Amino acid sequence: MHKLPMALIAGIALVGCGVDPEPENQEIVSNLIEAGFPADDIMVANGAVYVGHDAHVTLEASREMLQAPAGSAEQYRTTNLVGSSVTKICINPTSTFNSYTNLSQGLDLAIANYNERGLRLTFARGPTTGCTANITAQTVSGTGGSAGFPSGGLPYGTINIGTGLESYSVDVNEHVITHELGHTVGFRHSDYYNRSISCGIGGDEGEAGVGAIHIPETPTTATVGGSIMNSCFSATETGEWTGSDITALNTLYSSGGAVASCSSYNFTSYRGQNGTRITCSCGAVSGGSVWGTDIYTDDSNACVAAVHAGAIPATGGTVVVTIQPGQSSYTGTTRNGITTSSYGAWPGSFSVSSQTPPPSCSSYNFTSYRGQNGTRIACSCGAVSSGSVWGTDIYTDDSNACVAAVHAGAIPATGGTVVVTIQPGRSSYTGTTRNGITTSSYGAWPGSVSIGSW
């Protein structure tokens, strides 16, 4: 399969304003070599210094690499991480970036990838409020992307995404943007020590004794498809984290058990980021306005909605708020001592669940969600034995979700928790055999689902 490099140096113009960059770049290169990067992996292009072909290194970042204590010479992170004062990183796409449909959708999904992990950092698409750090998402020519490493406790301020990615799937765009955002918060290539693992060609980016610190409990050897942070990507990427990616994220940016209050979030600012999950806490619930049932308007009081949904008792608890698309109408009901109101069309919604394992997938009738495209539903599967499924990656919405989840590689046959995403109907569905599951082909059907891991 043809592999595509993340690097997209051609067309990138990162230059100083009226300052000769050469002396500064010479110091950066010197610092990188002292930090352990091999000279043949350091590239100067258009006035900027790169390592690993797609990670821009500033002077401040290179100096920080020399100040950190020594670590084991393995993969994954740099010595430079995002400081604890940064809690909400806003990704601000340019108008040109927004004009590319697949890039724009890929950005939303990449943001959701990070927010779904319940990290101490949350990401939001700008422009919005409450940002403690900002990253500009801009376009460049070509296919691939580039970014840089953190410095001064802040994430790198720019990701460059190639407009050639518009011809690839939204999932591939999600993958590349998630990868480049990973660099901005300190992740190195998982296969930095041998780029040929994911690229087919290339060598060692350098052990860099303090510049490539192994993250505990993650693999010290890379495999094709083993990490979203591999150097190169293929045209069949799903855009989702692997298990080792999740371990790495939790190790570096875990919330540490401290969960922010739901009242500290403005959920309307997450509109369009459908599927983003935000873990937050509720005190004892007394009162507050809520519109809807199960799916609530995004200006509803999340904690009151959580009691209404049965996610927590009135005494409070920790919940997961999932951003959902706006609805044409909302129906009020009375549940668990809470009466919600009805409302007409509203541009944004959320659902609320507990942190305990979600309901069984078999308890949902996914055909009833037709038209609510982008809505994500977390549910659980027991051991999978049999069930009818039509399609590959995109399945008819009357397929057995748990069997489809095994086919999609979201869970093993022993079961697990999945996220079902409502998709539009298709003109046809193609059956294949994967992971011990054979699905069937079918013609036109009015509703679909895709399934990913929790």
Side-chain angles (χ1 to χ4, degrees):
M1 182 176 294
H2 182 58
K3 300 295 182 181
L4 301 166
M6 290 289 178
L8 187 73
I9 303 307
I12 298 174
L14 298 174
V15 296
C17 298
V19 177
D20 179 5
E22 185 173 350
E24 181 175 296
N25 285 348
Q26 288 175 350
E27 181 183 343
I28 294 171
V29 171
S30 175
N31 290 343
L32 289 171
I33 291 173
E34 184 177 345
F37 290 85
D40 61 4
D41 192 58
I42 300 170
M43 176 188 299
V44 180
N46 295 336
V49 181
Y50 292 82
V51 295
H53 297 264
D54 71 332
H56 176 222
V57 181
T58 63
L59 179 61
E60 182 179 5
S62 72
R63 288 170 175 170
E64 288 180 19
M65 290 179 183
L66 300 181
Q67 296 167 1
S72 60
E74 294 293 352
Q75 61 183 350
Y76 265 124
R77 78 170 177 90
T78 66
T79 53
N80 307 25
L81 297 177
V82 175
S84 59
S85 63
V86 176
T87 56
K88 183 177 182 179
I89 300 173
C90 296
I91 316 298
N92 303 294
T94 64
S95 58
T96 302
F97 188 102
N98 285 334
S99 70
Y100 290 90
T101 301
N102 286 357
L103 271 66
S104 184
Q105 292 180 10
L107 175 60
D108 285 336
L109 293 172
I111 289 171
N113 277 343
Y114 285 92
N115 287 337
E116 288 172 356
R117 303 313 335 153
L119 308 172
R120 68 169 176 84
L121 304 172
T122 61
F123 291 71
R125 184 173 184 140
T128 187
T129 59
C131 310
T132 51
N134 286 276
I135 296 172
T136 299
Q138 62 187 23
T139 58
V140 289
S141 61
T143 302
S146 68
F149 297 134
S151 63
L154 295 174
Y156 186 79
T158 305
I159 58 171
N160 302 288
I161 304 299
T163 55
L165 285 168
E166 182 69 13
S167 63
Y168 290 83
S169 70
V170 172
D171 285 342
V172 168
N173 280 264
E174 175 189 5
H175 177 101
V176 172
I177 297 171
T178 300
H179 175 106
E180 299 306 339
L181 288 175
H183 284 319
T184 70
V185 297
F187 287 98
R188 282 199 67 185
H189 289 148
S190 301
D191 59 349
Y192 79 92
Y193 60 91
N194 184 1
R195 287 172 58 86
S196 67
I197 292 172
S198 66
C199 301
I201 59 173
D204 190 350
E205 292 178 9
E207 292 186 347
V210 295
I213 301 173
H214 177 241
I215 297 173
E217 299 184 23
T218 63
T220 56
T221 56
T223 59
V224 174
S227 172
I228 212 164
M229 291 307 300
N230 277 351
S231 299
C232 291
F233 64 94
S234 72
T236 58
E237 301 291 355
T238 66
E240 304 304 319
W241 299 117
T242 66
S244 61
D245 290 334
I246 292 170
T247 298
L249 284 164
N250 289 340
T251 299
L252 296 191
Y253 292 113
S254 168
S255 63
V259 179
S261 170
C262 294
S263 62
S264 68
Y265 288 94
N266 174 15
F267 295 110
T268 62
S269 70
Y270 289 86
R271 284 178 188 166
Q273 298 174 36
N274 302 325
T276 294
R277 295 201 301 268
I278 300 164
T279 302
C280 57
S281 62
C282 298
V285 173
S286 54
S289 299
V290 179
W291 294 268
T293 296
D294 295 329
I295 302 291
Y296 305 92
T297 63
D298 59 6
D299 63 340
S300 294
N301 183 302
C303 293
V304 178
V307 175
H308 182 264
I312 55 170
T315 51
T318 299
V319 301
V320 178
V321 177
T322 303
I323 306 302
Q324 305 284 10
Q327 306 290 312
S328 59
S329 64
Y330 299 80
T331 302
T333 58
T334 298
R335 284 182 183 170
N336 304 315
I338 301 292
T339 298
T340 63
S341 301
S342 297
Y343 201 78
W346 189 254
S349 313
F350 61 67
S351 56
V352 192
S353 60
S354 66
Q355 282 196 303
T356 57
S360 169
C361 294
S362 63
S363 68
Y364 287 95
N365 175 15
F366 295 111
T367 62
S368 68
Y369 289 85
R370 285 177 187 165
Q372 299 178 35
N373 301 325
T375 296
R376 287 188 170 193
I377 302 163
C379 57
S380 59
C381 298
V384 172
S385 55
S386 62
S388 299
V389 179
W390 295 267
T392 296
D393 295 329
I394 301 293
Y395 306 93
T396 63
D397 60 6
D398 64 340
S399 293
N400 183 301
C402 292
V403 178
V406 175
H407 182 265
I411 56 171
T414 51
T417 301
V418 302
V419 178
V420 178
T421 302
I422 305 302
Q423 306 282 7
R426 296 292 179 98
S427 59
S428 64
Y429 299 80
T430 302
T432 58
T433 298
R434 283 184 184 168
N435 304 315
I437 300 293
T438 298
T439 64
S440 302
S441 297
Y442 201 78
W445 189 254
S448 311
V449 296
S450 59
I451 306 180
S453 57
W454 173 258

